[in-house]
Amino acid sequence: MHLVSRTDIGNIRLVNEDRAVVRHVPGGWSVAVVADGMGGQQAGDVASQMAVDIIQRELQRLSPELAADDCAEELRRAIEVANENIYEFALGRENYHGMGTTVVSAVANGQTAIIGHIGDSRAYLISDAGMEQLTEDHSLVNELVKNGHITPEEAAHHPRRNVIIRALGTDPTVEVDLRLVPWKAGNLLLLCSDGLHGLVDDDSILEVVRGEPDLDRMALRLIHSALDAGGDDNVTVVLIKNGAEGGDRG
């Protein structure tokens, strides 16, 4: 499993509130987490840093004998622990009230990828068949699209497209969306914040992926695609390739 993580502050923001981590953990599992923080002052980057730290810590004890369904429950529990910790941290500190973060996390071995997410950071599966979005945005505009009030094309330019309706750390409990995905050698998982998918459409993302075999350069090209499209947000990209040679690159 080859893991690559890249982030950029973007062209406009003064602080990078995105955080990401990629790790191989005992038991043959690989873990990746992307979090996009929100909140005033330094609250957003505190929330996102806490999320990636806690989730990767909680997943260190995955065992090789663990079935995929049980691993999914461990991922759910790790995200819930992160939610409790962030919420309690903010509750006791006036400057951090209301802070939160999106999160999208993957736990994968050679046969199965398990995705857990809250918010509008996304996971995609990329294979010979194309690119499939594995997560559903917990956002206002996505609800408007689902209810038929606006079109997907209108959603891309909606003035409230950044409004999140479910986040990590803003409430004492949270519902985690989980998805188990079979995947094959050579398949690729892309995890990203909305700094990428909000500016670069799926066809353009797929064009970069298919045009660049090297994962490090692929991640950088995806970052630069967002910057070239305006770069008005922090942008973070994590790539996980099934069966590739190499180690972690953060």
Side-chain angles (χ1 to χ4, degrees), residues 146-221:
K146 286 165 59 178
N147 293 328
H149 295 303
I150 62 174
T151 67
E153 292 74 24
E154 290 170 333
H157 305 286
H158 196 280
R160 302 190 69 192
R161 63 187 179 276
N162 294 324
V163 176
I164 305 300
I165 60 173
R166 194 192 311 176
L168 191 74
T170 57
D171 294 289
T173 60
V174 72
E175 180 183 355
V176 182
D177 285 4
L178 291 174
R179 183 165 178 181
L180 279 71
V181 183
W183 69 330
K184 301 176 181 178
N187 288 174
L188 186 72
L189 281 176
L190 164 64
L191 277 56
C192 63
S193 62
D194 68 332
L196 178 68
H197 70 74
L199 290 174
V200 185
D201 62 41
D202 289 2
D203 289 342
S204 298
I205 291 174
L206 187 58
E207 182 179 357
V208 170
V209 170
R210 288 186 165 166
E212 180 52 74
D214 181 85
L215 284 196
D216 293 286
R217 290 196 295 268
M218 186 189 299
L220 289 173
R221 284 187 60 188

Side-chain angles (χ1 to χ4, degrees), residues 38-173:
M38 57 192 189
Q41 299 180 5
Q42 291 185 317
D45 50 322
V46 171
S48 58
Q49 187 67 57
M50 289 181 68
V52 299
D53 288 347
I54 293 168
I55 293 168
Q56 69 158 329
R57 182 195 72 203
E58 293 295 314
L59 294 174
Q60 286 296 314
R61 52 177 176 239
L62 295 177
S63 71
E65 295 82 18
L66 206 60
D69 287 344
D70 294 327
C71 187
E73 287 307 309
E74 286 297 308
L75 177 56
R76 183 199 305 277
R77 185 193 60 79
I79 295 173
E80 289 174 346
V81 169
N83 183 77
E84 293 167 6
N85 278 264
I86 295 168
Y87 179 78
E88 290 173 4
F89 180 91
L91 201 62
R93 296 164 175 82
E94 184 176 348
N95 289 344
Y96 296 97
H97 284 180
M99 79 175 188
T101 182
T102 72
V103 68
V104 59
S105 183
V107 179
N109 61 15
Q111 295 76 45
T112 306
I114 303 158
I115 308 297
H117 99 286
I118 299 167
D120 67 349
S121 292
R122 291 182 181 176
Y124 296 90
L125 176 65
I126 301 168
S127 66
D128 290 341
M131 186 166 80
E132 178 187 2
Q133 184 178 329
L134 301 176
T135 54
E136 181 177 303
D137 294 348
H138 302 138
S139 65
L140 175 63
V141 294
N142 190 50
E143 290 300 307
L144 294 174
V145 170
K146 286 165 59 178
N147 293 328
H149 295 303
I150 62 174
T151 67
E153 292 74 24
E154 290 170 333
H157 305 286
H158 196 280
R160 302 190 69 192
R161 63 187 179 276
N162 294 324
V163 176
I164 305 300
I165 60 173
R166 194 192 311 176
L168 191 74
T170 57
D171 294 289
T173 60

Side-chain angles (χ1 to χ4, degrees), residues 6-13 15-18 193 195 220 223-224 227 231 233-237:
R6 291 288 181 266
T7 189
D8 193 280
I9 195 171
N11 296 331
I12 296 174
R13 299 295 178 90
V15 176
N16 192 344
E17 294 185 320
D18 285 3
S193 62
L220 289 173
I223 294 281
H224 284 292
L227 299 180
D233 199 356
N234 311 143
V235 54
T236 298
V237 169

